[in-house]
Amino acid sequence: MNVIDLETRFQEKIDSDIRIEPRDWMPDNYRHTLIRQIGQHAHSEIVGMLPEGNWITRAPSLKRKVALLAKVQDEAGHGLYLYSAAETLGGDRDHMFEELHSGKAKYSSIFNYPTLTWADMGAIGWLVDGAAIQNQIPLCRCSYGPYARAMIRVCKEESFHQRQGFEIMTVLCAGTPIQKAMAQDALNRFWWPSLMMFGPPDAESTHTAQSKKWGIKRFTNDELRQRFVDMIAPQADHLGITIPDPDLKWNEETKQYDFGEIDWTEFWQVVKGHGPCNKDRIAARTKAWEEGAWVREAALAYAEKQQIHSTTKSKAV
């Protein structure tokens, strides 16, 4: 069977909502697109531990400390699921880390902003995890099986993270004027970066059309961004805080919220490594990688020793 026939059968499977599995034939570009996307997703989960991990020792109560610690641990697990999914496509985990540390591989731009107050833990859970859910729920129907299955558990945990963040914001908004002002300040700083999380506008997106054809993505960046605004705007009203967008208003005709223009110059600056915390995030990840080298070496040596022991034992039998 020639390549054209294989590509035709491949697309027919996708059009019929039949999952592509690791041993199935797939175009090289499909494989490479998935490795890039899953790798960026995994990096985002791992780097995303840093802004919140910074607050574990400063949480205002034992309850908050335990919940935040559990959330950060969840994010580490999400990264491991996703690196494993990329490996089923032939991706090399060490190589993916090398690309992250060198700046070649990207991760979500939102994690290059600082977390200045405890309210930021609420804003990240409410807004950032809320945006992640909008992005990730459609991925549960991704055409590539291992990625789609990994996302089912990830989405369940992300949903809990968002509720946790909204609960923090609810408590702050019902507290003292200073606490409510803290919540408002966090919303002010994280609102626009959260909208940028969905990626560039559709007119500038280089991957969306092909990814939709292949069933990797189900919605465009702008469609997901609109869904996010429509979800968050009523919740902000409920909290009694104001989204920092004077152009935000309900459109009775479209039954959606209209919102202002995003500063795409800022977005591209952050993506290119010039955000407030880009250098700090990469430095922290590189340091952890280098200091953890002895653990990886010890684990590998132990695995090799166990393999030799198992082989010797089987030969003796």
Side-chain angles (χ1 to χ4, degrees):
M1 186 175 292
N2 59 41
V3 173
I4 294 176
D5 290 338
L6 287 170
E7 289 181 343
T8 300
R9 288 186 59 184
F10 172 82
Q11 190 61 50
E12 286 174 349
K13 288 178 70 173
I14 288 175
D15 294 341
S16 301
D17 274 335
I18 298 173
R19 291 268 169 81
I20 306 300
E21 299 297 340
R23 294 186 180 181
D24 293 342
W25 184 90
M26 63 188 76
D28 287 341
N29 285 342
Y30 177 84
R31 183 186 304 276
H32 296 152
T33 295
L34 276 167
I35 291 174
R36 175 191 58 79
Q37 178 173 325
I38 296 172
Q40 288 184 1
H41 192 166
H43 296 330
S44 297
E45 296 286 355
I46 297 301
V47 177
M49 298 164 64
L50 297 173
E52 293 173 302
N54 183 46
W55 277 91
I56 291 173
T57 58
R58 295 182 288 165
S61 70
L62 180 60
K63 171 187 172 183
R64 295 297 188 194
K65 186 188 296 285
V66 170
L68 184 57
L69 180 60
K71 182 183 178 186
V72 172
Q73 288 176 320
D74 284 348
E75 288 161 352
H78 298 172
L80 294 178
Y81 302 152
L82 294 166
Y83 287 127
S84 296
E87 286 175 327
T88 67
L89 289 155
D92 181 81
R93 191 177 303 204
D94 286 352
H95 179 65
M96 286 189 281
F97 275 121
E98 289 171 7
E99 290 191 324
L100 171 64
H101 300 155
S102 70
K104 182 178 180 180
K106 305 302 180 185
Y107 54 88
S108 181
S109 59
I110 192 72
F111 300 121
N112 290 309
Y113 290 86
T115 47
L116 305 178
T117 71
W118 172 251
D120 290 3
M121 299 303 97
I124 288 176
W126 175 38
L127 299 175
V128 176
D129 292 318
I133 290 168
Q134 291 295 333
N135 256 325
Q136 293 171 5
I137 286 178
L139 290 174
C140 294
R141 297 188 291 125
C142 171
S143 60
Y144 187 60
Y147 192 21
R149 289 188 288 273
M151 292 315 303
I152 293 173
R153 177 168 179 175
V154 170
C155 285
K156 288 179 179 178
E157 293 176 351
E158 292 288 8
S159 179
F160 180 80
H161 297 167
Q162 190 199 21
R163 290 197 296 273
Q164 177 186 340
F166 188 74
E167 193 265 340
I168 291 173
M169 296 296 279
T170 300
V171 170
L172 290 172
C173 289
T176 66
I178 292 177
Q179 288 174 317
K180 187 171 183 180
M182 188 188 299
Q184 179 66 64
D185 175 64
L187 172 57
N188 292 346
R189 287 182 287 106
F190 277 94
W191 173 250
W192 293 107
S194 295
L195 294 188
M196 296 175 194
M197 279 182 67
F198 296 95
D202 292 347
E204 299 179 23
S205 177
T206 57
H207 302 290
T208 295
Q210 185 62 68
S211 291
K212 285 191 69 178
K213 180 180 179 182
W214 279 333
I216 297 172
K217 293 185 70 170
R218 298 285 176 166
F219 302 98
T220 69
N221 297 348
D222 288 341
E223 288 170 341
L224 292 170
R225 197 171 0 254
Q226 183 67 59
R227 289 182 169 207
F228 173 72
V229 174
D230 293 341
M231 176 182 74
I232 294 296
Q235 295 176 0
D237 288 341
H238 175 77
L239 290 172
I241 50 181
T242 304
I243 290 175
D245 180 0
D247 296 324
L248 182 72
K249 62 179 182 299
W250 176 253
N251 187 320
E252 191 61 41
E253 185 174 328
T254 62
K255 303 300 182 184
Q256 294 176 324
Y257 281 90
D258 295 333
F259 56 96
E261 184 64 27
I262 296 168
D263 183 357
W264 292 112
T265 300
E266 177 184 335
F267 170 77
W268 288 116
Q269 282 289 102
V270 175
V271 168
K272 291 175 182 178
H274 306 301
C277 297
N278 287 68
K279 292 181 180 179
D280 291 341
R281 301 295 185 237
I282 294 301
R285 285 305 313 155
T286 302
K287 181 174 182 287
W289 177 259
E290 292 173 349
E291 292 183 350
W294 71 272
V295 179
R296 296 191 299 277
E297 292 167 3
L300 182 60
Y302 178 78
E304 290 175 347
K305 182 178 180 181
Q306 291 296 102
Q307 180 65 37
I308 293 172
H309 176 72
S310 177
T311 302
T312 303
K313 186 176 181 181
S314 63
K315 285 182 177 179
V317 172

